Amino acid sequence: MYLNSSKILLIITLLVVLVLDISTAFVPMASATSIPFTTASSNNIMTNIGEKNKKKIYPNLSINIRGGGSSETKIHSASSLVEFHNGPFWQSTLIFTAANALGWVISLLTGSHVHLDLIGTGAFAVAGLPSLVGVNSVSDVVSSRIPLSGAMMTLWGTKLAGFLFFRALKTGHDVRLDDVLSTFSGTTSFWIVSLLWGLLCSLPHTLGTTSSLSFGITADTPITTKLGIVLYAVGIAFETLADLQKWNFKQSNPKGFCNVGVWSLSQHPNWFGNLLLWSGIFLINAPVLV
């Protein structure tokens, strides 16, 4: 294709660096972000938290935050120890980086379009899997915030990547990307944008995993979590319906403008569903993000 010796050397060098980075992804972080707090500032924080929210989100909470040389921020309660650690965030970042680097190499070597969405969107599904480690049943998922958030991201990523891969197998290539993917710089730019999209879009989940604070679906569940679950359910259903309706329409009208079903209400109903479901994931993790 359009590879020469210097470009091949560049690819090999980047892959070696990537492999070395990934090898440390599952090693516990030597230190997490340390936030120095004094006893006075701890008391101020507790004073600023409304009594109602304190009881709903942090039952029996008392803060004992150690500053100075401590490598983690810890919040003690009568029943649990809450820790903030950056390890899960960097692990997710490396997963997205590895996936998009793989897609970039495949694009350079083959020029194929078939793998674009399978890898770019599928990275979300893979990045959500570490949150499900140790989960043995559906009840384990709904009883804890992090597995619930991870399951939602994995479900969406698997569903959308699977559909887009199926579509790519049927169509062969995306004519909109012919010019972009025909050059080294264009291909590189495409996968950089794909990486940035993955990193930014997944932040509601990946930032949420840095806190061990957990709450499931119970009577005392924060209202934001309940609303988040509803938004996610509506969003993923709406996005799926929109994709299905457009796919069926294009089978008989390949060059026609889809204006049936939910597409008669909006030009991009699938994007609307996507916005809803990610808003839902954000709300589920909101108590630890604000």
Side-chain angles (χ1 to χ4, degrees), residues 80 94 108 121 157 281:
S80 64
L94 287 173
L108 290 177
T121 307
I281 294 176

Side-chain angles (χ1 to χ4, degrees), residues 160-226:
L160 186 57
F163 167 71
L164 295 176
F165 181 56
F166 168 78
R167 188 180 69 178
L169 290 175
K170 294 292 184 179
T171 59
H173 71 285
D174 190 335
V175 295
R176 298 170 299 179
L177 298 175
D178 282 341
D179 292 338
V180 173
L181 297 178
S182 64
T183 64
F184 178 84
S185 60
T187 300
T188 302
S189 299
F190 173 86
W191 285 106
I192 289 176
V193 171
S194 175
L195 171 61
L196 293 176
W197 167 63
L199 294 176
L200 293 175
C201 189
S202 65
L203 283 178
H205 168 73
T206 56
L207 289 181
T209 60
T210 61
S211 169
S212 65
L213 182 65
S214 185
F215 36 82
I217 305 176
T218 66
D220 295 327
T221 299
I223 186 62
T224 54
T225 301
K226 296 176 181 178

Side-chain angles (χ1 to χ4, degrees), residues 1 14 19 22 93 98 110 115 186 188 192 215 219 230 244 256 271 288:
M1 289 197 46
L14 290 175
V19 169
I22 294 173
T93 298
T110 68
H115 66 291
T188 302
I192 289 176
F215 36 82
V230 172
L244 181 61
W271 293 0
V288 302

Side-chain angles (χ1 to χ4, degrees), residues 150-163:
M152 287 178 166
M153 189 166 81
T154 296
L155 174 62
W156 170 76
T158 302
K159 186 269 300 183
L160 186 57
F163 167 71

Side-chain angles (χ1 to χ4, degrees), residues 80-101:
S80 64
L81 177 67
V82 178
E83 299 180 355
F84 294 88
H85 201 287
N86 291 333
F89 171 79
W90 291 115
Q91 183 182 69
S92 178
T93 298
L94 287 173
I95 289 173
F96 277 105
T97 302
N100 284 277

